[in-house]
Amino acid sequence: METKIRPMQWSDLDAVGQLRPEGWGDILPPIIFYLNDPACMTFVAERADRIIGVANGTDWGQTGWVGPIIVDASSRGQGLGSLLTKTIMEGLQAKGCRTLLLIATEFGKPVYEKLGFIGDSRYCFLKAEQQADFEAYSGSIPLRAAHPSDLPMLSELDQRAAGERRISVLEKLLQNNGGWVVPREDGSGIRGYYLHGAPWGSGPIVAEDEEAGCRLLQQAFVVEKHLSAGVSEHNHKAIEYLQRIGFTIVTYADRMVLGEHPVWHPDMIYSRISGSLG
Ligand SMILES: CC(C)(COP(=O)(O)OP(=O)(O)OC[C@H]1O[C@@H](n2cnc3c(N)ncnc32)[C@H](O)[C@@H]1OP(=O)(O)O)[C@@H](O)C(=O)NCCC(=O)NCCS
């Protein structure tokens, strides 16, 4: 039976929502974000008028992110995940992305390895098992609400940390939901930012020093009651802080790269953007 890969339409939304893999949350909020974002390309796999897969790619210029890639459980092992991944890879490469990145689940890893992706490090995921006493570790560094005019400073700091130009998603999160920044005392810029209210849950936290990074993490947990966190395994300071306030490591996932590895500073990233955006 013929399988067609085509751009996702708004009318596919309900059918795509049914593809939610076991153990995952609702996949529609991020999918809606991708459909509304010109930096994203979202495709579906259709067979006999039934949607059996979905895939997204995000174009950040020199770099592009692949994911999520999801195939309906009854249609796996037939090459569809690989076909969807290749479609996204070709789409991003045609737009000029020289480096492709992704965060792999255990299901995805063998598919991506066969397509040439190489693991470069791991993300570490932590959870607070009970309501920890976050207040006990209150820092005293002042924060202020982020303002749309902070975007250039925020993007400069982010680019230094990620080695990628992620400004399109930062702009959207800043406009939609805002967040917090730690201003430098001399007024010369910001030490860190946290953008909250992303449709998939926690948002990015990036900071140039430990004090600012942990203060923003605390803001995410104390004010917004987030009880999960995802950081690079190389950000020892963030992991130590999280463990001190009651988080435990629950799992790891590979960060994989195809092409030139961006020069990044994972020790500046206190919370990733999402499982599909780094
Ligand atoms: C990851 C995922 C998308 C893979 O989809 P899939 O359609 O099963 O992928 P493929 O069929 O291309 O590849 C899976 C396996 O089938 C094999 N395969 C490929 N073509 C095949 C064919 N024609 N016949 C039989 N097997 C085939 C692949 O070699 C691979 O085997 P391996 O595990 O030994 O490497 C799917 O498992 C999924 O949706 N998982 C849940 C969501 C998820 O984790 N997504 C990844 C996010 S990073």
Side-chain angles (χ1 to χ4, degrees):
M1 216 178 298
E2 199 207 344
T3 303
K4 192 165 133 194
I5 308 284
R6 60 161 176 81
M8 180 176 168
Q9 312 291 330
W10 283 103
S11 53
D12 299 321
L13 213 51
D14 284 349
V16 166
Q18 305 297 317
L19 298 173
R20 181 171 69 88
E22 206 186 316
W24 288 30
D26 186 0
I27 60 170
L28 287 185
I31 294 280
I32 291 169
F33 183 91
Y34 305 140
L35 286 179
N36 276 315
D37 191 330
C40 295
M41 53 183 80
T42 312
F43 289 88
V44 290
E46 190 176 39
R47 190 183 289 160
D49 290 332
R50 196 166 81 85
I51 302 291
I52 52 174
V54 65
N56 179 69
T58 305
D59 164 24
W60 283 333
Q62 296 283 312
T63 62
W65 276 78
V66 176
I69 310 285
I70 300 171
V71 172
D72 180 60
S74 63
S75 305
R76 292 182 192 160
Q78 302 167 26
L80 210 52
S82 310
L83 187 62
L84 281 164
T85 308
K86 269 192 251 167
T87 305
I88 296 297
M89 289 166 65
E90 284 163 11
L92 291 173
Q93 282 161 342
K95 288 199 168 234
C97 300
R98 295 213 305 250
T99 299
L100 301 183
L101 295 118
L102 57 84
I103 300 174
T105 62
E106 59 172 312
F107 287 112
K109 196 176 165 188
V111 174
Y112 306 135
E113 275 172 344
K114 280 185 190 156
L115 292 170
F117 283 85
I118 295 169
D120 82 339
S121 59
R122 293 184 307 166
Y123 285 85
C124 173
F125 299 98
L126 302 100
K127 272 198 183 349
E129 284 176 359
Q130 56 204 20
Q131 195 59 39
D133 186 12
F134 302 136
E135 297 285 359
Y137 294 93
S138 267
S140 56
I141 315 177
L143 302 177
R144 68 164 172 79
H147 188 267
S149 65
D150 292 324
L151 182 64
M153 284 190 297
L154 209 136
S155 167
E156 182 278 324
L157 179 73
D158 189 77
Q159 199 164 344
R160 232 180 324 135
E164 300 182 73
R165 195 171 150 74
R166 319 192 292 182
I167 191 164
S168 62
V169 68
L170 301 182
E171 183 174 22
K172 213 158 217 192
L173 294 176
L174 184 61
Q175 273 172 1
N176 290 353
N177 310 295
W180 303 91
V181 296
V182 176
R184 290 210 189 103
E185 272 175 34
D186 63 4
S188 67
I190 57 169
R191 292 163 62 184
Y193 81 80
Y194 162 40
L195 295 179
H196 65 166
W200 44 82
S202 57
I205 298 177
V206 170
E208 61 187 10
D209 63 89
E210 179 181 0
E211 206 180 22
C214 293
R215 178 69 185 89
L216 290 161
L217 274 174
Q218 187 193 41
Q219 183 73 3
F221 302 130
V222 173
V223 177
E224 297 181 8
K225 314 279 185 241
H226 287 165
L227 293 178
S228 60
V231 292
S232 164
E233 63 179 345
H234 297 303
N235 192 341
H236 305 294
K237 292 166 194 159
I239 294 172
E240 271 165 36
Y241 169 76
L242 289 165
Q243 288 178 321
R244 214 162 58 231
I245 64 171
F247 280 72
T248 50
I249 296 174
V250 284
T251 186
Y252 289 89
D254 286 273
R255 171 183 156 112
M256 304 185 83
V257 181
L258 180 73
E260 199 179 314
H261 290 218
V263 178
W264 70 318
H265 294 282
D267 55 330
M268 289 174 68
I269 300 177
Y270 285 75
S271 171
R272 62 178 189 155
I273 300 181
S274 80
S276 304
L277 300 176

